[in-house]
Amino acid sequence: MRIDVITIFPGYLAPLREALLGRAIAAGLVDLDVHDLRDWTHDVHQAVDDAPYGGGPGMVMRPQVWGEALDAVLARDARTPRIVVPTPAGRPFTQATAQEWAGAERLLFACGRYEGIDQRVVDDARGRGLPVDEVSIGDYVLVGGEAAVLVMVEAVVRLLPGVLGNPASAEQDSFSDGLLEGPAYTRPETWRGLAVPEVLRSGNHAAIARWRRDRALERTAQRRPDLLAALPERALDKADRAF
Ligand SMILES: NCc1ccc(-c2ccccc2)nc1
């Protein structure tokens, strides 16, 4: 998978080259290119924004600069990317989105700042048949899209074959079965007077699986009843309903 990121703060994306993602890049599972939007300005001030039509606070990112940057980066590789624009006004980014994008051959993240990017940049890309996803990672407003890109790239790249040492952990993720992950424990058996639940040390794998499922159902019901309500009928078996 090739990932391009266009931003006015390339340094913000440095963490993508650390740890697990850094290893995936080093292993050639991912090609990452971060581009400075200002490389496509032509004025001495390298202006990337301007006042909004219709007035109002803040500034809007200029379409000319973004148009040139996108055209240039698109041309760097024959593969057509999904273009992703992080925005508080976007559709929710979920595990399902991460799964879908993990199948893409190329992703291009356009990081806005200020009040966002002139809408015509997205409209022009869509008008040329390019898939553009305006997505939100949560209902809060950041100062720019870069932090959201760090989150989304991590969620996607960890799903790529060969990235996680143990693929089973991606399958047993929270959300992969529609429920939140239950509590996890490791040694010591007792810590500050708190013992590990007996069943987990019983060696009875059926009982352990049942206990874990019950804890996941309990936690989901308490913290995310919306996820429980969204589960398809078939997702809960008789034992689940008894819980
Ligand atoms: N859903 C999180 C999120 C994503 C992007 C932005 C943002 C803020 C300012 C300018 C451009 C993007 N804010 C929140």
Side-chain angles (χ1 to χ4, degrees):
M1 173 183 284
R2 173 170 174 147
I3 299 177
D4 290 280
V5 185
I6 304 176
T7 168
I8 58 172
F9 292 117
Y12 211 107
L13 283 303
L16 291 180
R17 297 190 189 282
E18 297 293 321
L20 181 113
L21 299 185
R23 285 198 298 276
I25 294 168
L29 298 170
V30 175
D31 293 319
L32 173 70
D33 258 348
V34 179
H35 311 272
D36 187 338
L37 178 69
R38 293 193 196 277
D39 289 354
W40 287 279
T41 59
H42 308 295
D43 61 308
V44 67
H45 298 297
Q46 296 195 305
V48 294
D49 62 314
D50 200 343
Y53 273 114
M59 304 288 271
V60 177
M61 299 193 97
R62 299 171 58 211
Q64 305 96 320
V65 182
W66 270 106
E68 283 188 38
L70 282 172
D71 290 350
V73 172
L74 282 166
R76 298 271 170 95
D77 188 291
R79 291 170 284 185
T80 300
R82 295 204 70 87
I83 298 175
V84 179
V85 182
T87 166
R91 288 169 9 157
F93 174 80
T94 65
Q95 190 65 20
T97 320
Q99 292 283 3
E100 183 191 336
W101 292 356
E105 54 183 8
R106 188 181 177 196
L107 298 175
L108 192 165
F109 291 91
C111 297
R113 290 245 145 192
Y114 310 104
E115 297 309 307
I117 303 171
D118 185 299
Q119 187 63 39
R120 290 169 294 182
V121 174
V122 166
D123 297 346
D124 170 64
R126 286 191 177 127
R128 289 151 63 196
L130 292 164
V132 182
D133 297 312
E134 294 173 270
V135 290
S136 162
I137 61 165
D139 293 337
Y140 39 81
V141 183
L142 301 169
V143 184
E146 286 80 4
V149 170
L150 293 175
V151 166
M152 293 189 281
V153 168
E154 178 163 323
V156 171
V157 170
R158 68 183 288 278
L159 297 175
L160 299 179
V163 172
L164 283 184
N166 171 7
S169 51
E171 274 122 46
Q172 290 155 26
D173 272 344
S174 272
F175 303 106
S176 61
D177 60 358
L179 298 176
L180 299 184
E181 203 92 8
Y185 302 87
T186 186
R187 289 178 295 184
E189 232 175 271
T190 300
W191 176 72
R192 295 188 179 178
L194 299 170
V196 171
E198 189 74 30
V199 65
L200 296 180
R201 294 185 295 111
S202 69
N204 176 338
H205 297 291
I208 291 169
R210 183 67 261 158
W211 183 88
R212 284 178 165 161
R213 179 79 177 174
D214 287 349
R215 296 295 73 70
L217 287 161
E218 181 178 68
R219 180 174 279 188
T220 307
Q222 285 166 352
R223 298 179 183 181
R224 292 293 304 275
D226 58 302
L227 291 179
L228 215 50
L231 278 180
E233 263 311 288
R234 69 183 183 289
L236 297 176
D237 64 27
K238 201 155 139 286
D240 292 338
R241 294 179 201 290
F243 169 73

